[in-house]
Amino acid sequence: MKKILMIEDDLELAEILTEFLEQYDFDVETEDDPFKALSILKLKKYDLVILDLTLPGMDGLEVCESIRERQNIPIIISSARSDVSDKVSALELGADDYLPKPYDPRELEARIQSVLRRYSDKAAAGVESKSDFAIDENAMKVVYKGQSLDLTNAEYGILKYMVQKQGMVVSRENIIHNVNAINEDSLNKSIDVMVGRIRTKLGDKSLIESIRGIGYKLLK
């Protein structure tokens, strides 16, 4: 039986979801206090966390970041906050999925199964494979599969940032704010052009996935 910690202050919703998930052999515990939830996670082992973003005393994004800093556990965001920036931030902080409320409990169950499968596949394969990328900050170079890439300063900054966030979604706004070689007045279109050039120089355009309406993800 898989154990789930649900960090949710809507106890009525939590009860409905718990009863539904029990049908699929999930043991769900609910905690509405984010500080207590973080303490519980230190003491007890869970297979997955379902996390609301609007919590008393501590924002769910902070909770997500705190969990991810300490352990590699699947995190599914379950939130009524539908703003794209919240979704992007959650994914960048290490959430595995984001499910906007309201939703059918059947979709939550399907998402849980999907995320657990991905983690199980990683465990079966042993330790995650090392990245094919290496960063030489002194020479301002990105090395891919042992080959140094010929990049402009802006391209180097973008790819370096993506490598640091490998496997996570990065928005165009995040790229602009975190890459010194890019002017803050840069347009999204110019970012797209530079990413296109990086794809060409990598020799594998599928390595950088476009996330519609948000930005990009450098695949592992």
Side-chain angles (χ1 to χ4, degrees):
M1 179 177 284
K2 297 292 187 181
K3 293 181 65 66
I4 294 175
L5 178 63
M6 185 183 303
I7 308 174
E8 171 65 69
D9 66 343
D10 184 340
L11 297 181
E12 183 177 350
L13 172 63
E15 185 177 353
I16 292 171
L17 294 175
T18 296
E19 290 180 0
F20 180 83
L21 292 173
E22 283 175 348
Q23 302 175 67
Y24 296 89
D25 205 29
F26 289 115
D27 178 15
V28 183
E29 294 180 21
T30 300
E31 180 53 64
D32 61 351
D33 184 322
F35 298 99
K36 288 183 180 178
L38 290 173
S39 296
I40 290 170
L41 280 166
K42 291 180 181 178
L43 302 173
K44 299 174 68 175
K45 179 175 174 56
Y46 295 91
D47 297 290
L48 183 137
V49 172
I50 299 172
L51 174 63
D52 187 17
L53 292 187
T54 306
L55 296 166
M58 187 178 192
D59 189 82
L61 292 174
E62 296 178 70
V63 178
C64 180
E65 183 176 23
S66 182
I67 295 171
R68 185 55 74 230
E69 285 177 348
R70 296 186 313 205
Q71 58 192 122
N72 185 33
I73 183 173
I75 302 172
I76 295 179
I77 303 296
S78 163
S79 177
R81 282 159 49 176
S82 57
D83 190 88
V84 171
S85 63
D86 282 324
K87 184 174 183 178
V88 171
S89 296
L91 294 171
E92 287 183 335
L93 290 171
D96 295 278
D97 205 345
Y98 193 107
L99 190 56
K101 297 176 183 175
Y103 52 79
D104 190 307
R106 290 175 297 179
E107 182 176 3
L108 175 61
E109 187 270 333
R111 301 274 188 119
I112 291 171
Q113 299 285 14
S114 176
V115 170
L116 288 176
R117 250 191 327 268
R118 292 205 302 269
Y119 272 71
S120 177
D121 290 343
K122 288 179 183 179
V127 179
E128 277 189 70
S129 60
K130 292 183 178 180
S131 173
D132 289 326
F133 291 91
I135 306 294
D136 183 345
E137 294 196 19
N138 292 327
M140 293 185 66
K141 290 284 186 181
V142 177
V143 178
Y144 175 59
K145 290 186 175 180
Q147 297 295 318
S148 179
L149 301 175
D150 183 16
L151 304 170
T152 66
N153 286 345
E155 291 166 359
Y156 162 77
I158 292 172
L159 186 53
K160 174 188 170 185
Y161 182 64
M162 286 186 172
V163 170
Q164 292 170 337
K165 298 290 185 178
Q166 193 168 4
M168 300 182 186
V169 177
V170 296
S171 68
R172 295 174 181 85
E173 290 76 17
N174 287 138
I175 291 173
I176 290 171
H177 293 150
N178 287 278
V179 177
N180 293 332
I182 296 178
N183 190 294
E184 289 197 2
D185 296 325
S186 298
L187 300 175
N188 286 342
K189 186 176 180 180
S190 65
I191 302 296
D192 294 340
V193 170
M194 285 185 276
V195 170
R197 292 203 298 258
I198 293 170
R199 282 185 172 126
T200 299
K201 292 178 181 182
L202 286 171
D204 183 352
K205 295 186 178 182
S206 66
L207 274 174
I208 300 178
E209 179 182 353
S210 294
I211 308 299
R212 186 173 180 181
I214 301 176
Y216 302 97
K217 180 197 289 187
L218 179 63
L219 302 179
K220 292 187 177 182

